[in-house]
Amino acid sequence: MTQTTANEAPSETGEASSREWDADSLGRRFEEVRGHTEALAAPLSPEDQTVQSMPDVSPTKWHRAHVTWFFETFLLAEAEQGFAPFQDKYWFLFNSYYETLGPRYARPDRGLVTRPGAHEVGDYRANVDARVRELVDTLDGGSLEKLTPIIELGFHHEQQHQELLLMDIKHVLSRNPLQPVYAGSPVERCEPDRLGWVEVEGGLVEVGHEGPGFSFDNEMPRHRQWLEPYRLADRLATNGEWLAFIADGGYERHELWLSDGWAKVRGEGWSAPLYWSEHDGVWFEHTLNGTWPVNPGLPVAHVSFYEAEAFATWSGKRLPTEAEWEHAVVTDGQGGQHGRDQQVVGNLADGGSFHPRPAQPAPAGSRLRQVHGDCWEWTSSAYHPYPGFHPPEGAIGEYNGKFMSNQMVLRGGCALTPAGHARASYRNFFPHGARWALSGVRLADGGAPA
């Protein structure tokens, strides 16, 4: 993969990049990203880091090891002179889903791996870190340019796992009757403010990534779509509005639900968002900063696509398509100009809240609130390839393309998303019934209810 400019095609990994990296800047960024993962794990005991509370959750130490395996496999194994793996069995234990690279340990059983322990995973990280630093420092200019894109992909891959680490440990701690606190602090009780609407003209629009600025392969190629005029809610749906949905029999009325969703409600006993529980007539919510009475003014979180769809139906509205979401954000001045890097603003993980916050005024000159951060926003769009998408050759081609089935697209980012990792073209995706992700709802109406 080579670096791209606004007129260049994506690299061999399928990702696009814009920064002009050199050995010093790559080294600094490597230290920042790797150090942040360790900072997130630092408040957790070795026991905390070993637990797997359900098949979709991975232990903290597994995340720490897997992102290390990624650098060892895709960088060191390709470029380090005299390469030898840190430990042969780690290639089996910490491969996630790369069939091209051989067999791997079953995902639902990751919590059964007590060894290596959290400390030994730290040794693994330190060994690979030192070798990557040495490699970057000693590469000639041509070799560094060739390897820079896979290193940059490694940064963004690790940031994805930083978010997943927090989502997963939240589920782990929720199963502990002692209700332990990870980090962050609650906000004072507040009420939802008035829900506003932002009108968008639609027409023949362009969506997807183009030009400089990192993106994953699934954000490309940029292409045209026709949109009828529509409106987006100016903020996310709130806990207070969800309490009204529950009080009106939202989880008891089959007519509000898709058939598969209603089967989930009945089969799994859903009656509220994932981390809500009712005690003596009061709803409580588990968060990374403790368990507290549900705050009506905060965005509702940890709801599935099925729940989001049912709530939209109950509200007399719908979910936006991903093209509607992206076009609205870009035309609202919050997507940046294509071909330029932009640090988006929002309640992301660098704020340290680790939980959605009440809606604040939109950025100057914009109308949409809570665009980046707080909650990933469900769309009505299935996760399919963009027209003209082709996964890259080799193992790295398994990064996104093979998951383009039975998933729905989410947009925006959440309060667990690392700073610098959210952008308007980012396509997150989860199965319809997934609830442990920090996902919420923004309503839409008008246009074609696709």
Side-chain angles (χ1 to χ4, degrees):
M1 180 172 99
T2 58
Q3 291 182 338
T4 60
T5 68
N7 297 316
E8 288 179 326
S11 66
E12 294 171 8
T13 67
E15 277 68 42
S17 174
S18 69
R19 285 188 62 170
E20 291 297 329
W21 295 98
D22 58 23
D24 288 340
S25 58
L26 278 173
R28 288 193 300 271
R29 186 58 179 155
F30 182 77
E31 296 286 351
E32 290 169 0
V33 172
R34 299 287 285 169
H36 186 58
T37 301
E38 291 301 277
L40 292 176
L44 303 171
S45 69
E47 292 81 4
D48 291 333
Q49 294 194 39
T50 303
V51 175
Q52 182 176 24
S53 50
M54 68 168 180
D56 287 335
V57 162
S58 293
T60 298
K61 71 173 185 180
W62 185 90
H63 286 294
R64 294 171 59 216
H66 167 70
V67 294
T68 304
W69 170 92
F70 189 93
F71 281 108
E72 184 181 37
T73 302
F74 290 106
L75 178 63
L76 295 180
E78 294 296 320
E80 185 183 47
Q81 193 169 25
F83 170 81
F86 177 77
Q87 216 279 8
D88 289 343
K89 292 292 180 64
Y90 284 11
W91 278 52
F92 170 73
L93 284 177
F94 301 126
N95 179 1
S96 54
Y97 50 69
Y98 295 92
E99 301 280 356
T100 305
L101 299 175
R104 63 204 184 281
Y105 193 73
R107 178 179 179 179
D109 295 337
R110 289 170 183 168
L112 302 178
V113 180
T114 58
R115 300 181 186 183
H119 180 75
E120 286 77 18
V121 168
D123 293 340
Y124 178 38
R125 288 179 63 89
N127 175 274
V128 170
D129 286 356
R131 291 159 64 191
V132 170
R133 286 193 295 268
E134 181 178 3
L135 177 68
V136 170
D137 288 342
T138 56
L139 287 173
D140 61 58
S143 298
L144 184 65
E145 182 179 0
K146 180 181 178 181
L147 292 172
T148 288
I150 196 65
I151 300 172
E152 188 177 15
L153 176 59
F155 298 159
H156 289 268
H157 170 256
E158 184 144 349
Q159 287 186 308
Q160 287 182 315
H161 279 272
Q162 290 166 356
E163 179 178 286
L164 288 169
L165 183 158
L166 292 171
M167 290 180 183
D168 289 356
I169 198 62
K170 183 174 186 176
H171 192 272
V172 167
L173 297 179
S174 78
R175 308 295 300 195
N176 189 326
L178 298 180
Q179 299 180 334
V181 172
Y182 170 78
S185 58
V187 300
E188 294 184 3
R189 179 185 169 90
C190 57
E191 296 296 326
D193 65 5
R194 185 184 67 83
L195 180 66
W197 292 89
V198 175
E199 296 187 6
V200 187
E201 285 188 13
L204 189 61
V205 307
E206 291 190 345
V207 296
H209 179 87
E210 181 182 60
F214 179 87
S215 73
F216 291 111
D217 58 359
N218 65 354
E219 301 171 49
M220 298 180 288
R222 189 161 171 82
H223 60 284
R224 294 182 296 176
Q225 288 197 26
W226 179 265
L227 300 178
E228 297 292 338
Y230 61 100
R231 301 192 306 170
L232 282 191
D234 74 336
R235 62 159 170 79
L236 302 181
T238 64
N239 288 334
E241 290 154 351
W242 208 272
L243 286 166
F245 171 66
I246 293 173
D248 197 37
Y251 285 90
E252 301 164 1
R253 296 167 53 186
H254 66 86
E255 69 272 18
L256 299 176
W257 295 79
L258 296 172
S259 177
D260 286 349
W262 184 243
K264 279 282 191 180
V265 171
R266 305 295 288 175
E268 299 188 12
W270 291 356
S271 61
L274 174 61
Y275 292 120
W276 289 25
S277 58
E278 189 177 21
H279 304 281
D280 298 327
V282 178
W283 284 103
F284 288 80
E285 180 179 17
H286 164 76
T287 75
L288 283 172
N289 53 65
T291 301
W292 307 93
V294 168
N295 190 333
L298 302 188
V300 68
H302 295 288
V303 294
S304 66
F305 169 79
Y306 293 133
E307 290 165 288
E309 177 74 18
F311 176 80
T313 300
W314 174 79
S315 302
K317 306 297 181 183
R318 62 178 178 86
L319 300 178
T321 67
E322 64 167 323
E324 287 175 332
W325 189 97
E326 182 175 327
H327 178 63
V329 168
V330 170
T331 57
D332 196 48
Q334 298 190 62
Q337 297 179 359
H338 289 279
R340 295 176 182 267
D341 288 317
Q342 175 174 317
Q343 190 83 353
V344 300
V345 177
N347 177 26
L348 299 164
D350 60 321
S353 70
F354 300 121
H355 196 70
R357 295 289 186 175
Q360 301 298 313
S366 300
R367 297 170 294 170
L368 292 170
R369 300 182 286 163
Q370 298 179 307
V371 166
H372 298 291
D374 290 303
C375 295
W376 284 104
E377 303 176 27
W378 287 107
T379 73
S380 63
S381 297
Y383 180 50
H384 288 156
Y386 281 162
F389 170 83
H390 297 286
E393 297 292 329
I396 208 69
E398 299 184 52
Y399 199 106
N400 281 310
K402 71 180 186 179
F403 299 108
M404 292 176 171
S405 176
N406 299 321
Q407 316 252 17
M408 300 301 288
V409 174
L410 301 90
R411 293 300 196 107
C414 74
L416 307 181
T417 304
H421 196 63
R423 54 188 172 272
S425 60
Y426 198 119
R427 306 176 76 202
N428 203 351
F429 55 92
F430 282 99
H432 302 68
R435 309 174 87 205
W436 98 103
L438 188 51
S439 49
V441 183
R442 185 186 300 271
L443 297 174
D445 72 1

